Amino acid sequence: MLLSRHAEAAFWMARYVERAENLARLLDVQQVFAADSRDSASWRSILMLNSDETRFLKTHDQADRESVTQFYVLDQDNPTSIIGAIHMARENARALRPLISTEMWAHLNVFHRKIHALTPADLSEARLSRTYAMIKEGCQAHTGITEGTFFRDEAWYFYSIGRWLERADQTTRLLDIKYHQLLPLGADVGSGFDIGQWNSVLRSAAGYYAYRRVHFRAISPATIAGFLLQNRAFPRSVALCVNDMGRVLNELRSRYGLRGGGAALERIDELQAELNGRSIETILIAGLHEFLDLFQSILGHLGNDIAREFFHHEEAVAQVQTQSQ
Amino acid sequence: MSSPTSRSGLLSNYDSGEYYCELLGSPASPHPVFETIEQQLSTITEEELRSRAIAAENDLFDLGVTFTVYSEKNAIDRVLPFDMIPRVLSAAEWGVLEAGVRQRVKTINLFLADVYGPQKVLRDGIVPAHLVLGNPNYRKEMEGVKVANDVYVAICGIDLVRDQNGQFMVLEDNARTPSGVSYVLENRRMMHRAWPELFHGLGVQSVDSYGARLRQALAENSPGSAPDPHIVLLTPGTYNSAYFEHVFLAREMGITLAEGRDLVVVDSRVYLRTIAGLRRVDTIYRRIDDDFLDPLVFREDSMLGVPGIMDAYVKGNVQLANGVGTGVADDKAVYAYMPRLIRYYLGEDPIIPNVETHLCNEAEGLAYTLANLESLVVKPVGASGGYGVMIGPRASRAEIEETRAKIVEDPGNFISQPVIGLSVCPTVCDDGIEPRHIDLRPFAVTGKDTWVLPGGLTRVALRKNSLVVNSSQGGGSKDTWVLFAQGGR
């Protein structure tokens, strides 16, 4: 039976790699936005979204392209940076080395070294896009190698749950940041400028053409937000991530006869009800930001449920003691 | 000893000087395998060999076959330097070594069962009682404890050297937590990738079964009668420099790699913390020293151990490999008595002799040592890793006098031995293929019976003229080949 510590490490290894990939996507789209934008205030929104503004301003005078990009890509002292996430992914992988494939470890090792070799020159406007592509590809290679080589026992289930959980969370953040910037007062909806920006949101999530297949007539912020939240076929949609998480958790419990996980399943039900219970129009009217906020907090609770039910068995010792009396 | 003129190719300028060469042998008795391998060696240029060596080391690094050095902020992964030219043992040479290692391991286990049991060996005066009972590695907690199959040492590494005449000798026994076996298996895999054609037609014995053999042996030593006992490997954790080896062994055996915090003792039984709650553990291959094993019994500041594990062990509810207190058998002072112990317990002559050893705690040995410091190697009894060793012929006047003062102050802490002109093996060096000194650590695994991994870890002193092979002192390693007997495969 899988060590709790290893389950936790698998869960977090997946989350950190997924986080790094999504951060690269987020920064990439931000880059496009800012280039079009009339002011540079937009760089603050990404800090606000990750609740990093206070910490950022302690060491930086102002939030502009250079400083924010540096902060999120290369700053080793920033735990929410890409370099920080890949470092943590590798540390978790180190603990998991008896379970992961040699190829997974070797790849993370080489990828880690590549990220560490990045310099501020790689963040220049001309090269930034290539740098993000390299980071995304590194993360995707990890995901692919894992899919092809990771033995599918308990650890793989925890890995999968971590990945879906993080991806769901990150998609809500991607959507949120654009909401901040694009619909500050609910105005301007549907203007040409606006649509171009929404298109880049879709592109950053690799969903532009998929979206086109579903909504081939007209692009609207509502259908885009609905697509990213509720579509059941798009691999980065929140609904797909939540559904897969539920499926994987159910399978884990039945295959290994685990009693834990009940609270986490209930939480997943709650997420599904929030997502599917109403139309995107209703969500938008009530406020997308408020919806995403609530959703992120339920995801946070779900993470805690999983930790309590599988990773930390404070009560397990007491149980054995009672049984043996 | 070997003239450079008669050879071509890689070894055309090679000269092993006064030392025994593991690949060439001596002119009087050329090594039996050399003719075969010489042909293969001549098909590669030094340049090609060098480029493959660089690729091989990069590979080891990427695969994480590394030991980790931690500085304040960073974890630095280092590769144990790997030399491409293998060390080769004939079937006949190996047959002797294998028998010698088995004899040694058997004696060590009989000795431990005796000193923690009836202590006959002490009453018969074979070993001075104070040397055993006053030894810091003697664990009083083990007196009278029943150990399954009387296997105290399930994993043993015996360090061997070969002198100028080609005679193998035991330099040291490692009966606590001998390390390095992962390099044996990884070096072989590396050689298969980096220089596959060198293997052609030679018939090299496989080393792949180590994990399966070890798991089998540990199962045989498990308490109770469960056909498939739950075995885990206990590591100090990811920050330990040998963490890779622990990962490697857990994988090879297909068992869980646990840290102290993953284990808990309830009612004198050991459990693993899993996603399904606590699971009982039967046997633990622990890579943690006695001192850190159980803070309730040994060092109370240990964060690596498992509180209560000694209690479970003493009550026979869990098996530890190696057992607690085995350090009393591989002590450098007890080492000197090993030939006598072999005769005492087995009634046999030692198959592999000891290096002649002078004990400074005996008047005669002390006098001899102090009178001949310039020509002797002096070693502190307790230390390992090559630390604190003084090599007389290479030491300065001041170093010799410093050592003399230390011996006089605490004679019981020192032994001395003659300098052994360690055998050499052709090695890829900056200035060409040159002789470098090597040793050999075979690994023996003991369950109901003892099995010795064919070959072992060959360590090489990469610094010119250095006799110290430890990785902490500029050592590297080589693949070690044991050939099948002619016609037999």
Side-chain angles (χ1 to χ4, degrees), chain B residues 147-222:
Chain B
V147 172
N149 298 333
D150 278 338
V151 177
Y152 289 79
V153 180
I155 304 99
C156 195
I158 308 278
D159 288 353
L160 305 175
V161 295
R162 202 168 195 183
D163 71 7
Q164 270 146 304
N165 304 316
Q167 169 68 50
F168 275 105
M169 289 177 285
V170 177
L171 188 65
E172 197 172 300
D173 304 295
N174 295 279
R176 282 170 257 192
T177 46
S179 64
V181 73
S182 57
Y183 293 106
V184 177
L185 278 74
E186 287 291 351
N187 285 352
R188 179 63 52 82
R189 287 169 197 174
M190 177 51 62
M191 281 300 286
H192 275 300
R193 285 196 295 273
W195 201 351
E197 64 270 35
L198 191 62
F199 288 83
H200 288 177
L202 282 179
V204 179
Q205 294 192 29
S206 163
V207 294
D208 267 348
S209 64
Y210 184 82
R213 292 278 191 164
L214 179 54
R215 184 172 180 162
Q216 176 61 32
L218 294 176
E220 285 169 8
N221 297 338
S222 282

Side-chain angles (χ1 to χ4, degrees), chain A residues 191-225:
Chain A
S191 74
F193 172 72
D194 186 29
I195 290 302
Q197 302 273 11
W198 279 101
N199 281 345
S200 63
V201 173
L202 279 174
R203 284 211 172 87
S204 84
Y208 180 70
Y209 289 113
Y211 171 84
R212 275 296 186 195
R213 284 166 62 185
V214 182
H215 302 280
F216 46 87
R217 275 181 235 283
I219 276 190
S220 76
T223 53
I224 290 174

